[in-house]
């Protein structure tokens, strides 16, 4: 199916190379550029002239050098061995690049397979010869890592009867099954499969997501939850903690597989992820985090075209695990760099620019990307479901959300975690602004909250949020006329809001105990704060009540300790509430 | 690695300059000119060759960006030689103690250099897999940096300044005092882009007078030098730094000033190329371009040396959201911000400790690196200073009388913190232990029960 053809380079302008003479060039076909054999992809065709974006540095390439069309479109390799890998934007393992380059710098023209061809995997069949199978059905399983069983599926487009099925130890290119279709044609199946990165993998249907993705971050889980299969955006100026937030979610969220793509970000930051993840333990399984993670690192100084491709590479890998029936989280840091890569290439192609020089197709590409997230019924006859949650960081210039990338993203994501430079300046982390962030997934997960956690969880959330809204208003007044002008109830609101901010929303990502709070515990803390607030409201509204007396009550003083209660002592919250109620009633002025 | 290139393309000469426009020339009728190739241009009757590089090459013409001014260039009688190689710089250990122009020519009257080897100035991307996470301390002798926003070897940490602020003096002080406390060899590579003659002269004098020159290499491009040369200057500096760090095992600190001028040069060329401008007329690829400079900092597996970068930039109108500081902030690992307010109060160095940030500080501090109490005392100073500043604002609105005793103590602390901790004079070099002790001393001013961020054992041990 792959037809090679020879062409000639006629122009080189940065990462954009123009080629003529290819026999039947097609869009997104992979082309090897120049004597060095750099990898590129056709992104525009005008007659016989093909514009190729090149994934490697093009210095030294000259017109007249050959170009070879490979006949296949830009694809990723899918199969056992993806997990624990660290790739560049076009799925070349960074460790292999290091070996082949022979130095710490990335050499050019290196070819590296995404998945090892020599490693053997224990394949356990789950179907028998003679059985009827259709696309997406599971043929067998491989223990890819301790945490994840890799399901080998019938590739899309193949239906028929299993003629042979293997059992034992194989490499990814060994034949593991033959499937005879209705016309009697034999299809050999190997564990290794390809999929073009720009085409969404097929599924039966999308369904309405109803379960939250639990991240252990209180401000996200309790205030602005995202559904499994949803899409969320994290915009914020530099220094506001986008990356720390993304990494925190990658570490602790309850997705089964994590695909993390560092797209045009800092080298040292990727190194931090690379050195840290193998030592971190997944709080949900107790196994090393790396066991469930695929990392894609295309740092800012690596070629810009590969940066453009990196998010698609990541998305395709994420979809592949979703198809097995797993819940997958894709973290993209940062999608702004991806958009900038598009802008750069578009500029070189001399396309008519849209807003701020970005191509006019920016918003449609962004929408296409986030639409690949979802909670789906997978291909296959067993009715399994899988979820792909996409979380994209956005880096708006100057923190100004009116710019095109933020706007294009906000239109298609239903969850917005707005990072706030002022909060970061005050060292309030995670600096997610509780006033302007939002989630549209509340109706979806309302049932889950009530059933799994507590009947009144949604109400606690709205009470807490209205206290914080109220605080913002009151602080304006205080600025103008001072604390004295406030009523006791208003002072109480301010005090409880402070507790909510400093001891619930504030969370230290670098503190082992604090970094992860289970949802049930989040509820308990919230419930306790709100019930103290309700009780205290009755007390402070009494005539002649001195507000300062309230602050002396032991349980009011101890509110900040709530988050420090050990996870397994949840009954302490119940007794805390009881004690608080008693202590507060004691302040009742007897009539 | 790329030998095939030089063999493939022998040098070729053309006299077919089609047009000259700003820093760009277009040469027609060329064959096989490669992208990024180094170009030598000679005008008839002139000895001197002017250098440039290929920006765009097609079947019959090449667009060349000049590094030297195009003044006097003619479309006739101008010889253009394509060298078949990318721009390179000759490097050697003897460069230490020398001063060069922004284009790499000796400026100190010393003789020509005998290079040990030639290195490509564009530099290749470091494989993230081959990096090692920066985790060793650099002592700058400045409390507001060492304690509050610790600089780590392999980090890139810019100084955000504004017009009229003393960033040059701060840069010189850092260059003078910076050292690694483990006693390995330390070198400074210092490059200026588009600074005034006075500023360049100041740096030269400072380096010479204090003996810092011996361990330094200076590249000076001033405002009077060609704009396009500025594109080359930081790359020359970093290539030399890479040689010293990764081949000579030295810890290298690279100071680049002023990146705003660099970006303006980039904008000038972009506009000459008639590219679609991005924000404020800067090219859309400025982020990528800056990253190819900043990302050349780092620590690499199996190499003893490291490269740490302190780029300096002036924010137009002190605006942090201006494209230059904004894009820089997205690439670098934090920033030092110079405060106009502190400067007006006459404090030096006027570092805004709250607005500054070192993302990698935690890896560089603690027992065995600085001192066990470092993280705690830093957190406490931050917290107490924040309370003090808040109380100070409150006092303005409500009057000092309405404040609590604790608030008043914190205001006094904040004042003293600025006067004795942040401010330390240009010639004063403090060891990290000294800086930490000053911090503890100041913490005596606030109520002891407000010291919540630092462990009580530390308070017992250090708060005497």
């Amino acid at each position: 199916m792959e037809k090679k053809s020879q062409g000639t380079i006629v122009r080189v302008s940065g990462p954009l190379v123009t080629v003529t003479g290819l026999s039947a060039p097609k869009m997104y076909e992979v082309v090897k550029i120049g004597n060095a054999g750099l990898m590129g992809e056709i992104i525009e065709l005008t007659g016989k002239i093909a514009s190729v974006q090149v994934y490697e540095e093009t210095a030294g390439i000259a017109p007249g050098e050959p170009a070879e069309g490979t006949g296949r479109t830009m694809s990723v390799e899918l199969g056992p061995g993806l997990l624990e890998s660290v790739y560049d934007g076009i799925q070349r393992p960074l460790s292999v690049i290091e070996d082949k380059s022979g130095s710490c710098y990335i050499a050019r023209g290196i070819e590296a397979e995404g998945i090892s061809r020599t490693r053997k995997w224990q394949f356990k069949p789950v179907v028998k010869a003679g059985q009827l199978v259709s696309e997406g059905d599971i043929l067998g399983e491989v223990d890819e890592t301790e945490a994840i069983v890799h399901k080998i599926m019938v590739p899309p487009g193949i239906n028929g009867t299993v003629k042979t099925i293997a059992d034992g130890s194989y490499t990814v290119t060994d034949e593991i099954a033959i499937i005879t279709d209705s016309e009697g044609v034999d299809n050999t199946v190997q564990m290794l499969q390809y999929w073009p990165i720009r085409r969404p993998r097929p599924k039966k249907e999308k369904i309405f997501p109803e379960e939250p993705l639990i991240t252990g971050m209180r401000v996200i889980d309790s205030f602005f939850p995202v559904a499994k299969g949803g899409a969320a955006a994290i915009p914020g100026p530099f220094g506001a903690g986008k990356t720390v937030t993304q990494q925190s979610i990658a570490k602790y969220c309850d997705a089964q597989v994590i695909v993390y793509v560092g797209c045009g970000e800092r080298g040292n930051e990727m190194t931090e992820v690379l050195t840290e993840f193998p030592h971190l333990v997944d709080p949900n399984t107790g196994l090393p985090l790396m066991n469930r993670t695929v990392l894609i690192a295309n740092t800012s100084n690596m070629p810009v075209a590969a940066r453009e491709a990196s998010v698609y590479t990541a998305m395709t890998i994420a979809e592949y695990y979703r198809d097995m029936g797993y819940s997958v989280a894709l973290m993209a840091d940062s999608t702004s760099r991806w958009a900038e890569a598009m802008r750069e290439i578009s500029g070189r192609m001399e396309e008519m620019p849209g807003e701020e020089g970005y191509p006019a197709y920016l918003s449609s590409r962004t929408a296409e990307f986030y639409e690949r997230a979802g909670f789906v019924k997978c291909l296959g006859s067993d009715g399994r479901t899988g979820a792909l949650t996409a979380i994209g960081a956005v880096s708006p210039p100057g923190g100004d959300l009116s710019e095109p990338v933020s706007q294009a993203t906000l239109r298609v994501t239903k969850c917005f975690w707005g990072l706030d430079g002022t909060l970061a300046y005050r060292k309030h982390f995670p600096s997610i602004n509780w006033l302007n962030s939002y989630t549209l997934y509340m109706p979806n997960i309302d049932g889950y909250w009530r059933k799994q956690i507590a009947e009144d969880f949604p109400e606690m959330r709205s009470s807490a949020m209205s206290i914080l809204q109220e605080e913002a208003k009151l602080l304006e007044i205080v600025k103008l006329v001072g604390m004295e002008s406030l009523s006791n109830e208003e002072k109480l609101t301010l005090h409880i809001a402070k507790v909510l901010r400093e001891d619930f929303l504030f969370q230290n990502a670098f503190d082992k105990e604090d970094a992860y709070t289970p949802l049930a515990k989040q509820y308990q803390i919230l419930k306790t704060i709100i019930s103290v607030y309700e009780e205290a409201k009755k007390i402070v509204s009494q005539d002649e009540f001195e507000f300062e007396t309230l602050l002396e009550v032991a349980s009011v003083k101890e509110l900040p300790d709530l988050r420090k209660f050990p996870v397994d002592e949840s009954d302490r919250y119940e007794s805390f509430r009881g004690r608080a109620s008693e202590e507060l009633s004691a302040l009742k002025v007897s009539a | 690695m790329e030998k095939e290139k030089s063999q493939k393309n022998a040098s070729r000469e053309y006299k077919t300059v089609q047009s000259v426009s700003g820093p760009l020339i277009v040469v027609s009728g060329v064959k096989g000119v490669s992208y990024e190739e180094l170009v030598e241009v000679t005008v008839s009757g002139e000895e001197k060759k002017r250098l440039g590089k290929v920006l765009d090459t097609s079947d019959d013409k090449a667009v060349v960006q000049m590094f030297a001014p195009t003044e006097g260039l003619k479309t006739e009688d101008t010889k253009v030689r394509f060298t078949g190689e990318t721009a390179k710089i000759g490097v050697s250990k003897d460069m230490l103690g020398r001063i060069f122009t922004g284009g790499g020519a000796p400026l100190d009257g010393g003789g020509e250099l005998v290079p040990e080897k030639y290195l490509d100035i564009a530099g290749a991307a470091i494989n993230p897999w081959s990096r090692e996470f920066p985790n060793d301390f650099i002592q700058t002798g400045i409390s507001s940096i060492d304690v509050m926003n610790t600089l780590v070897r392999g980090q890139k940490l810019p100084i955000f300044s504004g017009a009229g602020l003393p960033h040059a003096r701060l840069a010189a002080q850092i260059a003078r005092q910076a050292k690694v406390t483990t006693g390995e060899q330390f070198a400074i590579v210092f490059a200026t882009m588009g600074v005034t003659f006075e500023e360049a002269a100041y740096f030269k004098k400072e380096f010479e007078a204090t003996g810092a020159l011996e361990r330094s290499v200076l590249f000076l491009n001033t405002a009077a030098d060609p704009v396009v040369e500025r594109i080359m200057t930081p790359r020359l500096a970093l290539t030399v730094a890479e040689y010293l760090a990764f081949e000579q095992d030295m810890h290298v600190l690279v100071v680049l000033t002023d990146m705003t001028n660099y970006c303006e040069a980039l904008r000038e060329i972009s506009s000459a190329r008639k590219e679609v401008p991005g924000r404020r007329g800067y090219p859309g690829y400025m982020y990528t371009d800056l990253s190819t400079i900043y990302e050349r900092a780092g620590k690499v597996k199996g190499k003893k040396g490291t490269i740490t970068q302190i780029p300096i930039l002036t924010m137009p109108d002190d605006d942090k959201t201006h494209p230059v500081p904004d894009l820089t902030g997205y690439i670098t690992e934090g920033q030092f911000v110079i405060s106009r307010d502190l400067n007006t109060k006459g404090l030096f160095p006027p570092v805004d400790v709250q607005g500054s940030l070192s993302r990698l500080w935690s890896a560089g501090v603690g027992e065995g690196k600085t001192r066990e109490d470092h993280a705690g005392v830093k957190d406490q100073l931050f917290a107490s200073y924040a309370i003090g500043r808040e109380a100070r604002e409150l006092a303005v609105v409500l009057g000092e009388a309405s404040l609590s005793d604790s608030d008043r103590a914190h205001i006094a602390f904040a004042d003293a913190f600025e006067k004795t901790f942040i401010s330390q004079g240009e010639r004063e070099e403090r060891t990290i232990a000294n800086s930490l002790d000053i911090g503890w001393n100041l913490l005596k001013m606030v109520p002891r029960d407000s010291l919540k961020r630092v462990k009580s054992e530390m308070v017992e041990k250090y708060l005497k």
Side-chain angles (χ1 to χ4, degrees):
Chain A
M1 72 186 192
E2 290 176 7
K3 258 208 209 128
K4 291 189 174 166
S5 68
Q6 288 294 329
T8 313
I9 297 172
V10 291
R11 183 181 169 195
V12 186
S13 167
L16 191 75
V17 171
T18 315
V19 175
T20 56
L22 294 174
S23 61
K26 57 182 179 194
M27 279 296 272
Y28 301 124
E29 177 177 343
V30 175
V31 180
K32 297 271 169 67
I33 292 296
N35 299 324
L38 310 182
M39 187 142 55
E41 181 188 22
I42 297 180
I43 52 168
E44 193 184 63
L45 283 169
T46 328
K48 285 265 171 177
I49 301 168
S51 299
V52 178
Q53 64 171 354
V54 182
Y55 295 125
E56 299 178 70
E57 178 57 50
T58 50
I61 301 292
E65 285 187 39
E68 182 193 305
T70 60
R72 71 187 159 85
T73 50
M74 190 64 205
S75 304
V76 284
E77 299 184 353
L78 302 167
L82 285 168
L83 293 174
E84 300 184 328
S85 291
V86 183
Y87 294 119
D88 77 347
I90 46 173
Q91 214 204 2
R92 297 181 302 179
L94 289 177
S95 54
V96 176
I97 295 182
E98 182 185 74
D99 291 343
K100 292 202 178 176
S101 301
S103 88
C104 61
Y105 298 108
I106 297 176
R108 299 191 305 168
I110 286 180
E111 281 193 60
E113 282 143 354
I115 291 178
S116 163
R117 298 292 193 271
T118 49
R119 184 163 170 191
K120 288 201 166 182
W121 301 91
Q122 197 62 37
F123 176 80
K124 284 176 295 199
V126 298
V127 295
K128 292 199 183 79
Q131 206 170 320
L132 215 57
V133 291
S134 57
E135 52 177 5
D137 278 351
I138 294 166
L139 290 173
E141 293 176 342
V142 167
D143 288 329
E144 189 175 358
T145 65
E146 248 183 284
I148 297 293
V149 176
H150 193 109
K151 314 255 167 77
I152 307 296
M153 296 169 287
V154 178
I158 296 180
N159 299 288
T161 319
V162 178
K163 187 172 167 192
T164 61
I165 180 88
D167 184 353
S169 177
Y170 297 95
T171 67
V172 291
T173 47
D174 289 336
E175 168 193 307
I176 50 139
I178 295 178
I179 296 170
T180 316
D181 65 19
S182 54
E183 272 141 44
V185 181
D186 284 353
N187 296 283
T188 22
V189 176
Q190 55 180 24
M191 287 193 264
L192 177 71
Q193 300 176 10
Y194 295 90
W195 192 262
I197 58 170
R198 293 174 203 277
R199 195 188 313 156
R201 277 179 65 86
K203 68 236 162 212
K204 264 205 185 121
E205 59 177 329
K206 266 198 174 183
I207 37 188
F208 205 61
E210 284 177 339
E211 233 183 82
L213 180 81
I214 296 165
T215 65
M217 285 173 86
R218 296 187 287 262
V219 61
I220 291 178
D221 290 355
S222 291
F223 273 37
F224 309 108
V226 60
K228 278 194 180 122
I234 318 182
F238 66 84
K242 273 184 305 296
T243 303
V244 178
T245 309
Q246 285 266 34
Q247 288 184 6
S248 217
I249 298 173
K251 283 176 200 165
Y252 301 121
C253 81
D254 67 343
Q256 290 156 302
V257 174
I258 306 284
V259 182
Y260 190 102
V261 48
C263 171
E265 286 293 303
R266 305 176 178 93
N268 281 334
E269 234 160 44
M270 284 320 299
T271 311
E272 187 178 10
V273 173
L274 297 182
T275 43
E276 203 181 13
F277 271 40
H279 304 291
L280 287 173
V281 168
D282 178 357
N284 302 298
T285 61
L287 297 167
L289 271 182
M290 243 2 230
N291 274 356
R292 60 162 194 177
T293 309
V294 183
L295 289 172
I296 294 171
N298 210 88
T299 57
S300 54
N301 56 340
M302 283 158 76
V304 71
R307 193 196 301 166
E308 196 267 340
S310 66
V311 297
Y312 293 109
T313 303
M315 185 52 100
T316 312
I317 293 174
E319 282 178 336
Y320 177 64
Y321 280 96
R322 174 205 70 189
D323 290 346
M324 294 178 204
Y326 286 116
S327 162
V328 185
L330 169 78
M331 329 286 304
D333 184 13
S334 145
T335 57
S336 292
R337 307 298 163 224
W338 166 59
E340 279 165 13
M342 267 195 274
R343 172 167 72 182
E344 191 171 335
I345 305 282
S346 159
R348 302 253 185 203
M349 299 215 302
E350 288 160 17
E351 292 174 338
M352 182 74 81
E355 234 178 314
E356 288 192 23
Y358 285 102
Y361 47 77
L362 169 72
S363 54
S364 60
R365 291 271 167 93
T366 311
E368 275 164 28
F369 174 74
Y370 282 106
E371 270 303 288
R372 288 173 77 170
F375 187 57
V376 305
K377 206 173 247 173
C378 309
L379 281 190
S381 38
D382 59 355
R384 65 183 185 273
T385 56
L388 199 174
T389 316
I391 299 172
V394 184
S395 318
D400 171 16
L401 294 181
S402 66
E403 59 93 36
V405 185
S406 303
Q407 286 306 313
T409 308
L410 290 181
R411 277 206 295 277
V412 289
T413 53
K414 286 170 76 182
C415 193
F416 166 76
W417 299 323
L419 296 179
D420 189 328
T422 351
L423 289 177
Y425 186 84
R426 283 195 247 139
K427 313 272 172 208
H428 175 100
F429 290 106
S431 65
I432 294 175
N433 185 316
W434 50 86
L435 296 174
N436 72 8
S437 299
Y438 61 78
T439 176
L440 301 179
Y441 290 109
M442 269 326 281
N444 301 41
I445 62 167
D446 188 84
Y448 177 95
W449 269 25
R450 291 189 198 275
K451 226 192 259 152
Q452 303 292 329
I453 306 296
E455 191 46 48
D456 62 346
F457 196 178
E459 283 70 35
M460 290 301 129
R461 168 182 184 266
S462 18
S463 304
M465 288 181 71
S466 54
I467 292 174
L468 289 166
Q469 294 276 357
E470 185 71 20
E471 180 199 31
K473 256 186 267 167
L474 293 174
L475 285 178
E476 289 295 311
I477 300 177
V478 172
K479 256 190 214 150
L480 291 175
V481 287
M483 274 292 253
E484 284 67 34
S485 62
L486 297 186
S487 71
N488 273 349
E489 279 106 327
E490 288 168 335
K491 281 184 192 160
L492 175 68
T493 306
L494 282 186
H495 183 75
I496 295 296
K498 184 167 174 251
V499 173
L500 281 172
R501 277 191 287 110
E502 293 180 2
D503 303 300
F504 184 73
L505 297 180
F506 174 86
Q507 194 167 358
N508 188 346
F510 299 103
D511 180 298
K512 279 202 186 83
E513 297 297 313
D514 201 30
Y516 178 81
T517 312
L519 195 55
K521 182 176 165 183
Q522 298 185 23
Y523 163 74
Q524 289 295 347
I525 303 173
L526 209 52
K527 164 104 178 161
T528 311
I529 296 175
I530 300 298
S531 70
V532 168
Y533 169 70
E534 297 293 346
E535 298 270 344
K537 209 152 81 175
K538 290 180 225 148
I539 304 299
V540 298
S541 60
Q542 302 172 103
D543 289 341
E544 310 278 315
F545 183 83
E546 272 292 329
F547 186 71
E548 272 63 37
T549 1
L550 180 78
L551 301 182
E552 295 306 314
V553 175
S555 49
V556 175
K557 267 188 168 170
E558 286 164 23
L559 284 177
D561 299 334
L562 289 174
R563 66 181 164 122
K564 293 177 192 148
F565 289 3
V567 177
D568 47 3
E569 296 176 22
S570 58
D571 48 337
R572 276 178 70 179
Y573 292 100
E574 190 65 54
S575 57
F576 186 97
R577 287 196 289 269
R579 186 162 63 90
S581 173
E582 275 167 35
E583 286 171 358
L584 288 168
S585 330
L587 292 179
K588 242 180 212 148
V589 186
S590 40
Chain B
M1 179 167 80
E2 311 228 343
K3 268 181 225 124
E4 85 273 20
K5 194 170 41 201
S6 44
Q7 292 159 357
K8 180 184 67 195
N9 300 331
S11 67
R12 289 129 301 157
E13 251 179 39
Y14 297 93
K15 279 191 167 179
T16 44
V17 176
Q18 199 179 42
S19 67
V20 183
S21 145
L24 303 182
I25 62 171
V26 177
V27 190
S28 59
V30 299
K31 265 273 161 288
V33 167
S34 59
Y35 181 64
E36 294 260 306
E37 189 173 335
L38 187 73
V39 181
E40 291 171 1
V41 179
T42 340
V43 180
S44 66
E46 277 182 28
E47 274 288 295
K48 206 169 164 273
K49 289 177 195 148
R50 309 186 202 201
L51 296 183
K53 72 165 182 184
V54 177
L55 275 189
D56 193 326
T57 163
S58 50
D59 247 355
D60 58 343
K61 71 174 187 193
V63 180
V64 177
Q65 174 199 323
M66 300 303 299
F67 293 127
T70 45
E71 191 204 346
L73 275 193
K74 292 177 282 190
T75 46
E76 285 163 24
D77 272 347
T78 296
K79 251 194 325 206
V80 181
R81 196 172 80 87
F82 293 90
T83 60
E85 288 192 351
T86 48
K88 292 193 164 55
I89 180 175
V91 292
S92 98
K93 232 182 152 180
D94 298 334
M95 293 179 101
L96 288 168
R98 298 289 305 269
I99 303 175
F100 302 90
T101 65
L107 191 70
D108 51 5
E112 282 288 333
L113 206 72
V114 186
E116 280 166 38
K117 53 158 62 173
Y118 287 88
L119 294 175
D120 198 319
I121 67 163
I126 299 179
N127 187 337
W129 182 262
S130 311
R131 280 182 189 269
E132 223 172 85
F133 194 63
N135 55 5
D136 291 297
F137 175 61
I138 289 181
Q139 180 176 295
T140 64
I142 297 168
S143 302
S144 50
I145 293 176
D146 290 350
V147 176
M148 307 304 281
N149 293 293
T150 315
L151 181 63
V152 178
R153 287 177 223 167
Q155 185 174 16
K156 40 197 179 294
L157 196 52
I159 298 177
F160 285 10
S161 184
L165 293 177
H167 49 267
R169 280 159 60 205
L170 177 60
Q173 185 171 10
I174 293 174
R176 208 162 53 225
Q177 296 180 173
K179 55 173 70 79
V180 293
T181 43
T182 43
E184 285 126 317
Q185 265 194 308
F186 196 82
I188 311 261
V189 176
F190 196 97
T192 69
M193 283 93 68
V195 300
T196 57
F197 165 78
E198 280 93 10
E199 211 171 314
Y202 165 78
F203 285 127
K204 224 160 111 181
K205 206 179 83 206
E206 272 295 310
F207 274 85
E208 276 164 359
T210 58
L213 188 59
E214 269 173 55
R215 54 165 190 169
S216 310
V217 186
L218 269 63
F219 290 91
L220 303 178
N221 166 288
T222 66
D225 293 327
V227 173
V228 277
E229 189 183 275
R230 271 163 226 167
I231 302 295
M232 213 156 108
T233 311
R235 299 192 160 83
L236 292 177
L238 285 160
T239 309
V240 174
E242 280 166 3
Y243 169 77
L244 294 174
F246 301 143
E247 296 186 33
Q248 300 296 332
D249 296 340
M250 301 173 101
H251 293 291
V252 186
L253 176 69
V254 182
V255 181
L256 305 169
T257 180
D258 176 327
M259 288 307 290
T260 308
N261 296 336
Y262 170 85
C263 292
E264 260 152 32
L266 205 63
R267 175 164 68 177
E268 217 176 304
I269 291 161
S270 165
S271 118
R273 290 173 71 181
K274 304 192 170 53
E275 290 169 336
V276 180
R279 226 160 49 104
R280 296 217 189 178
Y282 291 98
Y285 50 79
M286 192 157 87
Y287 177 84
T288 307
D289 188 277
L290 285 174
S291 77
T292 59
I293 294 177
Y294 298 145
E295 281 289 342
R296 287 172 82 172
K299 186 174 175 199
V300 177
K301 282 182 206 163
K303 306 271 185 193
K304 288 196 189 118
T306 55
I307 297 179
T308 310
Q309 264 188 49
I310 303 189
I312 299 172
L313 54 91
T314 45
M315 299 182 279
D317 198 26
D318 293 356
D319 177 11
K320 215 167 100 173
T321 66
H322 183 276
V324 179
D326 190 55
L327 295 180
T328 299
Y330 276 123
I331 306 169
T332 55
E333 286 127 1
Q335 68 278 338
F336 296 125
V337 180
I338 309 260
S339 153
R340 199 167 286 279
D341 188 39
L342 293 181
N343 187 51
T344 319
K345 284 185 186 168
L347 307 178
F348 186 89
V351 177
D352 173 8
V353 290
Q354 278 178 306
S356 303
L357 166 77
S358 165
R359 289 169 191 267
L360 307 182
W361 70 273
S362 62
V365 309
E367 204 167 357
K369 287 174 177 163
T370 53
R371 209 166 75 182
E372 49 169 355
D373 57 324
H374 188 152
V377 77
K378 164 193 156 297
D379 285 346
Q380 188 58 55
L381 288 169
F382 263 128
S384 302
Y385 183 50
I387 299 173
R389 279 183 59 164
E390 238 166 74
R392 193 147 69 189
E393 275 167 35
L394 223 57
V396 176
V397 183
L398 306 173
E400 199 150 332
S402 66
L403 297 182
S404 67
D405 289 344
S406 163
D407 279 348
R408 271 195 290 273
H410 276 98
I411 294 182
F413 165 82
D415 291 340
F417 180 74
E418 286 170 4
K419 277 197 198 96
T420 57
F421 187 88
I422 296 181
S423 176
Q424 66 177 71
E426 214 172 328
R427 298 284 156 190
E428 185 180 343
E429 183 176 348
R430 294 177 183 164
T431 64
I432 179 68
N434 189 356
S435 292
L436 289 169
D437 290 341
I438 296 173
W440 278 113
N441 223 352
L442 288 167
L443 287 174
K444 284 183 196 156
M445 299 175 68
V446 297
R448 186 137 175 181
D449 62 7
S450 72
L451 302 182
K452 284 184 192 156
R453 298 292 178 98
V454 56
K455 288 199 179 121
S456 44
E457 306 97 84
M458 295 294 158
V459 179
E460 291 300 326
K461 190 164 166 191
Y462 291 99
L463 195 77
K464 287 154 208 151

